[in-house]
Amino acid sequence: MMKRMSPEGRTVTMLVGVVVTMGALSWAAVPFYDWFCRVTGFGGTTQISTAAPDEVLDEVVRVRFDANVDPNLEWTFRPMQTRMDLRIGENGLAFYEAINNSDVPITGTASYNVAPEISGYYFDKIECFCFTEQTLQPGERIEMPVSFYVDPSIVKDRDASWVRDITLSYTFHRTEPRRAALDTASSETIN
C-alpha cells in the first residue's frame, strides 16, 4: 500500500521541480538564443555561407563598414574602405586593419552585426576574421579580409525588399588566448 504524500511534501516537490526546470531553461537559453539569431538574423546577426550564389541581380546595395574597439584593447582597428557598392548576389571582399599599440602580445575577438537588423537574414559571410581569435604581437599590423554577399532573396521579402544600404559593424574585444586559457586550466587542475 502506497502512502500519500502530505501537502507540505507536495509543495516541496513542486518547488524542487520549478527550480530544476528554471535551471534547465537558463542553461538552454544561451545556445537557443544563438541558434535563433543565426536562423532569423535577429539583432543583425549575419548568416554564414560557403560560396556566393549563382544569381546576381542588377540591383545595387551599398555596404558601409564600421569598426569599434573595446576600451580595454590597446588596438587601432579600422575599415580600409568606408563603403562598397555591389550588385545583390555579387561576392564582395573588404578589408579591415588592426594594429597592436601596446608592448605585449594581445588577443582579440570580433563581435559583429549589420543594420538595419532585418538585413542580417540576407547578409551572408563566406570568410571572416570574426570566426577566429586574432593575436597581434607588439606593434604588429595586419589586414583582415571579410568575404560576403547579400542574398538575392532579399528582394522577395516584403519586409526587407526596401533595404539598399547596409552597415557591417565590428567591435574587437580583448580575450585570453584559447591555448593559454586551456594550458592555465590544465595546470590548475593538476595542482
Side-chain angles (χ1 to χ4, degrees):
M1 190 185 230
M2 286 185 49
K3 228 179 184 185
R4 292 189 90 163
M5 192 179 294
S6 69
E8 295 84 14
R10 279 185 285 201
T11 301
V12 168
T13 302
M14 284 187 348
L15 288 174
V16 168
V18 167
V19 169
V20 168
T21 301
M22 297 284 283
L25 290 174
S26 296
W27 175 81
V30 171
F32 178 74
Y33 182 75
D34 182 56
W35 169 82
F36 175 79
C37 289
R38 290 190 188 282
V39 168
T40 65
F42 182 76
T45 302
T46 63
Q47 306 303 304
I48 298 173
S49 181
T50 56
D54 294 330
E55 179 184 20
V56 177
L57 306 179
D58 285 331
E59 296 186 49
V60 173
V61 64
R62 173 171 288 156
V63 179
R64 299 175 197 278
F65 302 95
D66 178 53
N68 304 284
V69 179
D70 184 294
N72 296 326
L73 185 64
E74 298 174 62
W75 284 8
T76 299
F77 175 58
R78 68 176 187 88
M80 297 184 72
Q81 62 286 302
T82 56
R83 72 172 205 244
M84 182 182 293
D85 294 339
L86 64 149
R87 295 180 301 158
I88 295 175
E90 180 180 9
N91 188 47
L93 181 62
F95 289 87
Y96 281 76
E97 173 187 58
I99 303 168
N100 180 349
N101 300 315
S102 77
D103 57 358
V104 296
I106 298 178
T107 300
T109 303
S111 59
Y112 57 88
N113 68 353
V114 293
E117 288 183 8
I118 188 87
S119 63
Y121 187 74
Y122 300 99
F123 195 95
D124 288 69
K125 291 184 189 173
I126 298 169
E127 183 62 41
C128 181
F129 56 88
C130 60
F131 298 155
T132 59
E133 291 179 335
Q134 305 295 324
T135 300
L136 274 63
Q137 298 304 312
E140 183 179 6
R141 175 192 171 274
I142 61 170
E143 293 180 9
M144 300 173 290
V146 57
S147 176
F148 64 93
Y149 67 91
V150 177
D151 191 316
S153 60
I154 193 171
V155 299
K156 297 175 186 163
D157 182 328
R158 82 180 171 152
D159 294 327
S161 62
W162 57 271
V163 174
R164 292 301 178 269
D165 284 296
I166 298 173
T167 300
L168 175 60
S169 182
Y170 288 97
T171 302
F172 251 104
H173 305 274
R174 187 178 196 135
T175 57
E176 290 300 317
R178 199 171 296 256
R179 179 176 301 269
L182 291 174
D183 292 345
T184 303
S186 297
S187 68
E188 288 175 0
T189 305
I190 294 170
N191 294 332

